Amino acid sequence: MCDNISIDYITENGDYDMNTKIYDISIIGGGPAGMFAAYFGRLRNLDVALIESLPKLGGQPETLYSQKHIYDIAALPKVSGSELTQQLLDQLQILNCDQYLGTSVSSINRKDDVWELSTNKETIYSKAIIIAIGNGAFKPRKLTFDYDKTLEENNLDYFVNSLEDFRGKDVLVAGGGDSAVDWSIDLDKITNHTSLIHRRNKYRAMESSVNKLNQSSVEQLNPYIIKNVDFNQADNSKIDVTLKMIKSDDVKTVTADKLLVNYGFVSDSKILRDWNLELNGPFIKVSQEMETNLPNVFAIGDVVTYPGKLQLIATAFAEGPIAITKALRNLYPDKDYFEHSTSIFEK
Ligand SMILES: Cc1cc2nc3c(=O)[nH]c(=O)nc-3n(C[C@H](O)[C@H](O)[C@H](O)COP(=O)(O)OP(=O)(O)OC[C@H]3O[C@@H](n4cnc5c(N)ncnc54)[C@H](O)[C@@H]3O)c2cc1C
């Protein structure tokens, strides 16, 4: 439990030493399901790791529809995807857990009673796991032509990690959805020059955002597609981006400091096939207590299936506490786990 975080497990052959941190619960996936489950786990005083493959938490509402409104979450009459994420972040802040961002879990293996989660970074050790990966790890849709991958070090981005990276620069943003439009508006305030490249004349973004875009000084380059990107010959801190007008032979090259590509995300849950989980198509079969077929491995949110399952945030929020409570019962059978939050906070 959280009050004795450092080490509470050493195998007979000493594989795990005093420096090995073993979490009570590791939650794979930082969407709404995983974020609320992490908070609920902390509320139950469990030592929780929250692991998210993207550099930021929020899952689908944050990544796919940050500006769209959601109307079917209890006590939140109208909330946008990004507002919901912010509320979940604020809640997590109250009882924070260890967050592993930009960390993608590739496999899970059990050794004695401890699960080892292999990631693209370090290995994470845990007594129980909650899988909350939605439709799988999101990856940005990248440029489809071949380009020098070293461009991704400084000049070509698929995420905005910090707006400061763009300050005072000449920036090209590519895409026509909410993210591309919103980033263009934000970048316009701090860059030397921002241009938005889109293959159509119409954007797939909120009307209010498009209005803001039209009032900003963002240069709109449409309908153009990107044909090539390479280092500028004379100054290799800059890039040359070749644009071709749709249904025309018009080709032009624009020189800039940075290109930010916002072509959306693709997700893939094929990884689950190698985790020895009982699946029904792409979904994990779970019991009424959110248990999978593997010991102390639970699953919640969009990735699960059971009779009557609804792929909604409201449902995902309910499944977290069920999984956490069952995990708590399994790990600490003597603990009183039927408590209300008030009694926990006021202790
Ligand atoms: C356009 C759209 C509109 C929607 N509107 C509504 C609505 O109005 N109301 C509603 O209730 N629902 C709505 N939904 C559905 C809702 O967004 C989902 O039900 C909800 O996001 C499920 O949450 P989740 O946490 O299970 O999964 P996700 O939100 O998909 O989050 C899963 C997270 O896990 C991460 N991940 C995946 N694999 C790994 C890995 N191997 N290692 C580490 N991290 C990993 C992903 O990057 C992602 O951040 C909508 C969905 C879409 C696409």
Side-chain angles (χ1 to χ4, degrees), residues 34-59:
M35 290 176 82
F36 184 62
Y39 169 74
F40 196 86
R42 292 292 296 112
L43 203 58
R44 291 291 186 259
N45 207 23
L46 291 167
D47 192 10
V48 177
L50 180 58
I51 309 161
E52 168 55 49
S53 58
L54 291 180
K56 61 179 178 178
L57 296 173

PDB file of all heavy atoms in Angstrom, residues 34-59:
ATOM      1  N   GLY A  34      -8.790   4.846 -17.334  1.00  0.00           N
ATOM      2  CA  GLY A  34      -7.557   4.673 -16.567  1.00  0.00           C
ATOM      3  C   GLY A  34      -7.338   5.800 -15.578  1.00  0.00           C
ATOM      4  O   GLY A  34      -6.905   5.580 -14.445  1.00  0.00           O
ATOM      5  N   MET A  35      -7.654   7.040 -15.979  1.00  0.00           N
ATOM      6  CA  MET A  35      -7.425   8.186 -15.087  1.00  0.00           C
ATOM      7  C   MET A  35      -8.302   8.100 -13.844  1.00  0.00           C
ATOM      8  O   MET A  35      -7.849   8.311 -12.726  1.00  0.00           O
ATOM      9  CB  MET A  35      -7.696   9.506 -15.822  1.00  0.00           C
ATOM     10  CG  MET A  35      -6.671   9.833 -16.880  1.00  0.00           C
ATOM     11  SD  MET A  35      -7.090  11.326 -17.802  1.00  0.00           S
ATOM     12  CE  MET A  35      -6.495  12.597 -16.690  1.00  0.00           C
ATOM     13  N   PHE A  36      -9.592   7.787 -14.063  1.00  0.00           N
ATOM     14  CA  PHE A  36     -10.466   7.732 -12.882  1.00  0.00           C
ATOM     15  C   PHE A  36     -10.123   6.523 -12.019  1.00  0.00           C
ATOM     16  O   PHE A  36     -10.136   6.612 -10.779  1.00  0.00           O
ATOM     17  CB  PHE A  36     -11.952   7.722 -13.279  1.00  0.00           C
ATOM     18  CG  PHE A  36     -12.845   7.752 -12.067  1.00  0.00           C
ATOM     19  CD1 PHE A  36     -12.803   8.828 -11.185  1.00  0.00           C
ATOM     20  CD2 PHE A  36     -13.686   6.698 -11.779  1.00  0.00           C
ATOM     21  CE1 PHE A  36     -13.590   8.857 -10.036  1.00  0.00           C
ATOM     22  CE2 PHE A  36     -14.484   6.714 -10.632  1.00  0.00           C
ATOM     23  CZ  PHE A  36     -14.436   7.794  -9.757  1.00  0.00           C
ATOM     24  N   ALA A  37      -9.776   5.400 -12.643  1.00  0.00           N
ATOM     25  CA  ALA A  37      -9.391   4.206 -11.861  1.00  0.00           C
ATOM     26  C   ALA A  37      -8.147   4.516 -11.018  1.00  0.00           C
ATOM     27  O   ALA A  37      -8.040   4.083  -9.865  1.00  0.00           O
ATOM     28  CB  ALA A  37      -9.138   3.019 -12.789  1.00  0.00           C
ATOM     29  N   ALA A  38      -7.211   5.290 -11.590  1.00  0.00           N
ATOM     30  CA  ALA A  38      -5.988   5.642 -10.848  1.00  0.00           C
ATOM     31  C   ALA A  38      -6.347   6.463  -9.613  1.00  0.00           C
ATOM     32  O   ALA A  38      -5.848   6.215  -8.513  1.00  0.00           O
ATOM     33  CB  ALA A  38      -5.038   6.430 -11.751  1.00  0.00           C
ATOM     34  N   TYR A  39      -7.240   7.423  -9.810  1.00  0.00           N
ATOM     35  CA  TYR A  39      -7.664   8.256  -8.680  1.00  0.00           C
ATOM     36  C   TYR A  39      -8.359   7.389  -7.628  1.00  0.00           C
ATOM     37  O   TYR A  39      -8.079   7.503  -6.432  1.00  0.00           O
ATOM     38  CB  TYR A  39      -8.608   9.354  -9.178  1.00  0.00           C
ATOM     39  CG  TYR A  39      -9.299  10.091  -8.052  1.00  0.00           C
ATOM     40  CD1 TYR A  39      -8.597  11.019  -7.271  1.00  0.00           C
ATOM     41  CD2 TYR A  39     -10.629   9.844  -7.747  1.00  0.00           C
ATOM     42  CE1 TYR A  39      -9.223  11.692  -6.232  1.00  0.00           C
ATOM     43  CE2 TYR A  39     -11.257  10.502  -6.705  1.00  0.00           C
ATOM     44  CZ  TYR A  39     -10.547  11.423  -5.946  1.00  0.00           C
ATOM     45  OH  TYR A  39     -11.157  12.077  -4.904  1.00  0.00           O
ATOM     46  N   PHE A  40      -9.240   6.516  -8.082  1.00  0.00           N
ATOM     47  CA  PHE A  40      -9.985   5.683  -7.139  1.00  0.00           C
ATOM     48  C   PHE A  40      -9.038   4.735  -6.385  1.00  0.00           C
ATOM     49  O   PHE A  40      -9.202   4.492  -5.191  1.00  0.00           O
ATOM     50  CB  PHE A  40     -11.073   4.886  -7.874  1.00  0.00           C
ATOM     51  CG  PHE A  40     -12.095   4.311  -6.940  1.00  0.00           C
ATOM     52  CD1 PHE A  40     -13.194   5.066  -6.541  1.00  0.00           C
ATOM     53  CD2 PHE A  40     -11.950   3.030  -6.432  1.00  0.00           C
ATOM     54  CE1 PHE A  40     -14.127   4.543  -5.654  1.00  0.00           C
ATOM     55  CE2 PHE A  40     -12.885   2.506  -5.551  1.00  0.00           C
ATOM     56  CZ  PHE A  40     -13.978   3.264  -5.159  1.00  0.00           C
ATOM     57  N   GLY A  41      -8.026   4.241  -7.083  1.00  0.00           N
ATOM     58  CA  GLY A  41      -7.029   3.383  -6.430  1.00  0.00           C
ATOM     59  C   GLY A  41      -6.291   4.133  -5.344  1.00  0.00           C
ATOM     60  O   GLY A  41      -6.039   3.627  -4.253  1.00  0.00           O
ATOM     61  N   ARG A  42      -5.932   5.384  -5.653  1.00  0.00           N
ATOM     62  CA  ARG A  42      -5.242   6.213  -4.662  1.00  0.00           C
ATOM     63  C   ARG A  42      -6.164   6.539  -3.485  1.00  0.00           C
ATOM     64  O   ARG A  42      -5.724   6.604  -2.348  1.00  0.00           O
ATOM     65  CB  ARG A  42      -4.726   7.501  -5.332  1.00  0.00           C
ATOM     66  CG  ARG A  42      -3.616   7.274  -6.336  1.00  0.00           C
ATOM     67  CD  ARG A  42      -2.321   6.807  -5.673  1.00  0.00           C
ATOM     68  NE  ARG A  42      -1.815   7.847  -4.796  1.00  0.00           N
ATOM     69  CZ  ARG A  42      -1.763   7.765  -3.464  1.00  0.00           C
ATOM     70  NH1 ARG A  42      -2.182   6.667  -2.842  1.00  0.00           N
ATOM     71  NH2 ARG A  42      -1.295   8.759  -2.756  1.00  0.00           N
ATOM     72  N   LEU A  43      -7.447   6.732  -3.797  1.00  0.00           N
ATOM     73  CA  LEU A  43      -8.425   6.988  -2.742  1.00  0.00           C
ATOM     74  C   LEU A  43      -8.491   5.806  -1.782  1.00  0.00           C
ATOM     75  O   LEU A  43      -8.752   5.965  -0.592  1.00  0.00           O
ATOM     76  CB  LEU A  43      -9.794   7.200  -3.408  1.00  0.00           C
ATOM     77  CG  LEU A  43     -10.884   7.974  -2.694  1.00  0.00           C
ATOM     78  CD1 LEU A  43     -10.412   9.365  -2.343  1.00  0.00           C
ATOM     79  CD2 LEU A  43     -12.105   8.074  -3.609  1.00  0.00           C
ATOM     80  N   ARG A  44      -8.231   4.630  -2.316  1.00  0.00           N
ATOM     81  CA  ARG A  44      -8.207   3.410  -1.496  1.00  0.00           C
ATOM     82  C   ARG A  44      -6.796   3.146  -0.962  1.00  0.00           C
ATOM     83  O   ARG A  44      -6.468   2.036  -0.561  1.00  0.00           O
ATOM     84  CB  ARG A  44      -8.698   2.208  -2.308  1.00  0.00           C
ATOM     85  CG  ARG A  44     -10.175   2.260  -2.628  1.00  0.00           C
ATOM     86  CD  ARG A  44     -10.989   2.080  -1.363  1.00  0.00           C
ATOM     87  NE  ARG A  44     -12.416   1.979  -1.619  1.00  0.00           N
ATOM     88  CZ  ARG A  44     -13.285   2.975  -1.452  1.00  0.00           C
ATOM     89  NH1 ARG A  44     -12.872   4.154  -1.065  1.00  0.00           N
ATOM     90  NH2 ARG A  44     -14.566   2.788  -1.669  1.00  0.00           N
ATOM     91  N   ASN A  45      -5.937   4.171  -1.070  1.00  0.00           N
ATOM     92  CA  ASN A  45      -4.588   4.115  -0.517  1.00  0.00           C
ATOM     93  C   ASN A  45      -3.688   3.073  -1.172  1.00  0.00           C
ATOM     94  O   ASN A  45      -2.748   2.559  -0.566  1.00  0.00           O
ATOM     95  CB  ASN A  45      -4.656   3.878   1.000  1.00  0.00           C
ATOM     96  CG  ASN A  45      -3.434   4.442   1.700  1.00  0.00           C
ATOM     97  OD1 ASN A  45      -2.775   5.347   1.176  1.00  0.00           O
ATOM     98  ND2 ASN A  45      -3.097   3.901   2.857  1.00  0.00           N
ATOM     99  N   LEU A  46      -3.984   2.742  -2.409  1.00  0.00           N
ATOM    100  CA  LEU A  46      -3.123   1.804  -3.125  1.00  0.00           C
ATOM    101  C   LEU A  46      -1.992   2.568  -3.812  1.00  0.00           C
ATOM    102  O   LEU A  46      -2.138   3.748  -4.141  1.00  0.00           O
ATOM    103  CB  LEU A  46      -3.936   1.043  -4.175  1.00  0.00           C
ATOM    104  CG  LEU A  46      -4.965   0.058  -3.601  1.00  0.00           C
ATOM    105  CD1 LEU A  46      -5.928  -0.406  -4.689  1.00  0.00           C
ATOM    106  CD2 LEU A  46      -4.268  -1.136  -2.972  1.00  0.00           C
ATOM    107  N   ASP A  47      -0.891   1.868  -4.026  1.00  0.00           N
ATOM    108  CA  ASP A  47       0.246   2.455  -4.722  1.00  0.00           C
ATOM    109  C   ASP A  47       0.041   2.197  -6.218  1.00  0.00           C
ATOM    110  O   ASP A  47       0.089   1.055  -6.671  1.00  0.00           O
ATOM    111  CB  ASP A  47       1.522   1.788  -4.212  1.00  0.00           C
ATOM    112  CG  ASP A  47       2.754   2.523  -4.662  1.00  0.00           C
ATOM    113  OD1 ASP A  47       2.617   3.634  -5.207  1.00  0.00           O
ATOM    114  OD2 ASP A  47       3.851   1.985  -4.461  1.00  0.00           O
ATOM    115  N   VAL A  48      -0.201   3.284  -6.951  1.00  0.00           N
ATOM    116  CA  VAL A  48      -0.689   3.144  -8.331  1.00  0.00           C
ATOM    117  C   VAL A  48       0.291   3.745  -9.346  1.00  0.00           C
ATOM    118  O   VAL A  48       0.793   4.850  -9.136  1.00  0.00           O
ATOM    119  CB  VAL A  48      -2.056   3.868  -8.485  1.00  0.00           C
ATOM    120  CG1 VAL A  48      -2.558   3.805  -9.917  1.00  0.00           C
ATOM    121  CG2 VAL A  48      -3.098   3.274  -7.533  1.00  0.00           C
ATOM    122  N   ALA A  49       0.501   3.011 -10.431  1.00  0.00           N
ATOM    123  CA  ALA A  49       1.234   3.569 -11.584  1.00  0.00           C
ATOM    124  C   ALA A  49       0.242   3.732 -12.725  1.00  0.00           C
ATOM    125  O   ALA A  49      -0.560   2.830 -12.979  1.00  0.00           O
ATOM    126  CB  ALA A  49       2.341   2.622 -12.016  1.00  0.00           C
ATOM    127  N   LEU A  50       0.283   4.889 -13.378  1.00  0.00           N
ATOM    128  CA  LEU A  50      -0.586   5.132 -14.538  1.00  0.00           C
ATOM    129  C   LEU A  50       0.320   5.279 -15.761  1.00  0.00           C
ATOM    130  O   LEU A  50       1.170   6.174 -15.808  1.00  0.00           O
ATOM    131  CB  LEU A  50      -1.423   6.400 -14.298  1.00  0.00           C
ATOM    132  CG  LEU A  50      -2.396   6.821 -15.405  1.00  0.00           C
ATOM    133  CD1 LEU A  50      -3.399   5.717 -15.725  1.00  0.00           C
ATOM    134  CD2 LEU A  50      -3.144   8.096 -14.997  1.00  0.00           C
ATOM    135  N   ILE A  51       0.128   4.392 -16.726  1.00  0.00           N
ATOM    136  CA  ILE A  51       1.059   4.323 -17.863  1.00  0.00           C
ATOM    137  C   ILE A  51       0.327   4.701 -19.155  1.00  0.00           C
ATOM    138  O   ILE A  51      -0.694   4.083 -19.489  1.00  0.00           O
ATOM    139  CB  ILE A  51       1.626   2.886 -17.998  1.00  0.00           C
ATOM    140  CG1 ILE A  51       2.172   2.399 -16.649  1.00  0.00           C
ATOM    141  CG2 ILE A  51       2.704   2.824 -19.068  1.00  0.00           C
ATOM    142  CD1 ILE A  51       2.324   0.894 -16.572  1.00  0.00           C
ATOM    143  N   GLU A  52       0.844   5.685 -19.853  1.00  0.00           N
ATOM    144  CA  GLU A  52       0.166   6.168 -21.071  1.00  0.00           C
ATOM    145  C   GLU A  52       1.177   6.278 -22.208  1.00  0.00           C
ATOM    146  O   GLU A  52       2.234   6.864 -22.042  1.00  0.00           O
ATOM    147  CB  GLU A  52      -0.499   7.523 -20.778  1.00  0.00           C
ATOM    148  CG  GLU A  52      -0.986   8.291 -21.989  1.00  0.00           C
ATOM    149  CD  GLU A  52      -1.947   7.520 -22.882  1.00  0.00           C
ATOM    150  OE1 GLU A  52      -2.913   6.939 -22.379  1.00  0.00           O
ATOM    151  OE2 GLU A  52      -1.707   7.489 -24.111  1.00  0.00           O
ATOM    152  N   SER A  53       0.796   5.735 -23.362  1.00  0.00           N
ATOM    153  CA  SER A  53       1.751   5.725 -24.475  1.00  0.00           C
ATOM    154  C   SER A  53       1.969   7.120 -25.071  1.00  0.00           C
ATOM    155  O   SER A  53       3.045   7.418 -25.571  1.00  0.00           O
ATOM    156  CB  SER A  53       1.297   4.751 -25.568  1.00  0.00           C
ATOM    157  OG  SER A  53       0.030   5.108 -26.033  1.00  0.00           O
ATOM    158  N   LEU A  54       0.972   7.974 -24.996  1.00  0.00           N
ATOM    159  CA  LEU A  54       1.138   9.338 -25.524  1.00  0.00           C
ATOM    160  C   LEU A  54       1.830  10.235 -24.503  1.00  0.00           C
ATOM    161  O   LEU A  54       1.857   9.904 -23.318  1.00  0.00           O
ATOM    162  CB  LEU A  54      -0.237   9.931 -25.865  1.00  0.00           C
ATOM    163  CG  LEU A  54      -0.974   9.326 -27.051  1.00  0.00           C
ATOM    164  CD1 LEU A  54      -2.303  10.030 -27.256  1.00  0.00           C
ATOM    165  CD2 LEU A  54      -0.147   9.407 -28.315  1.00  0.00           C
ATOM    166  N   PRO A  55       2.335  11.381 -24.934  1.00  0.00           N
ATOM    167  CA  PRO A  55       2.982  12.280 -23.963  1.00  0.00           C
ATOM    168  C   PRO A  55       1.992  12.955 -23.010  1.00  0.00           C
ATOM    169  O   PRO A  55       2.382  13.623 -22.086  1.00  0.00           O
ATOM    170  CB  PRO A  55       3.663  13.333 -24.836  1.00  0.00           C
ATOM    171  CG  PRO A  55       3.534  12.886 -26.230  1.00  0.00           C
ATOM    172  CD  PRO A  55       2.482  11.846 -26.314  1.00  0.00           C
ATOM    173  N   LYS A  56       0.680  12.805 -23.262  1.00  0.00           N
ATOM    174  CA  LYS A  56      -0.280  13.424 -22.336  1.00  0.00           C
ATOM    175  C   LYS A  56      -1.448  12.481 -22.064  1.00  0.00           C
ATOM    176  O   LYS A  56      -1.776  11.607 -22.888  1.00  0.00           O
ATOM    177  CB  LYS A  56      -0.787  14.758 -22.883  1.00  0.00           C
ATOM    178  CG  LYS A  56      -1.516  14.654 -24.189  1.00  0.00           C
ATOM    179  CD  LYS A  56      -2.013  16.015 -24.645  1.00  0.00           C
ATOM    180  CE  LYS A  56      -2.711  15.883 -25.994  1.00  0.00           C
ATOM    181  NZ  LYS A  56      -3.255  17.095 -26.509  1.00  0.00           N
ATOM    182  N   LEU A  57      -2.080  12.687 -20.908  1.00  0.00           N
ATOM    183  CA  LEU A  57      -3.223  11.856 -20.519  1.00  0.00           C
ATOM    184  C   LEU A  57      -4.492  12.349 -21.227  1.00  0.00           C
ATOM    185  O   LEU A  57      -4.529  13.447 -21.741  1.00  0.00           O
ATOM    186  CB  LEU A  57      -3.423  11.932 -19.003  1.00  0.00           C
ATOM    187  CG  LEU A  57      -2.291  11.379 -18.138  1.00  0.00           C
ATOM    188  CD1 LEU A  57      -2.550  11.677 -16.662  1.00  0.00           C
ATOM    189  CD2 LEU A  57      -2.128   9.869 -18.339  1.00  0.00           C
ATOM    190  N   GLY A  58      -5.532  11.530 -21.203  1.00  0.00           N
ATOM    191  CA  GLY A  58      -6.836  11.987 -21.708  1.00  0.00           C
ATOM    192  C   GLY A  58      -7.533  11.039 -22.663  1.00  0.00           C
ATOM    193  O   GLY A  58      -8.749  11.092 -22.802  1.00  0.00           O
ATOM    194  N   GLY A  59      -6.775  10.195 -23.359  1.00  0.00           N
ATOM    195  CA  GLY A  59      -7.396   9.219 -24.257  1.00  0.00           C
ATOM    196  C   GLY A  59      -8.199   9.874 -25.382  1.00  0.00           C
ATOM    197  O   GLY A  59      -7.875  10.977 -25.827  1.00  0.00           O
TER     198      GLY A  59
END
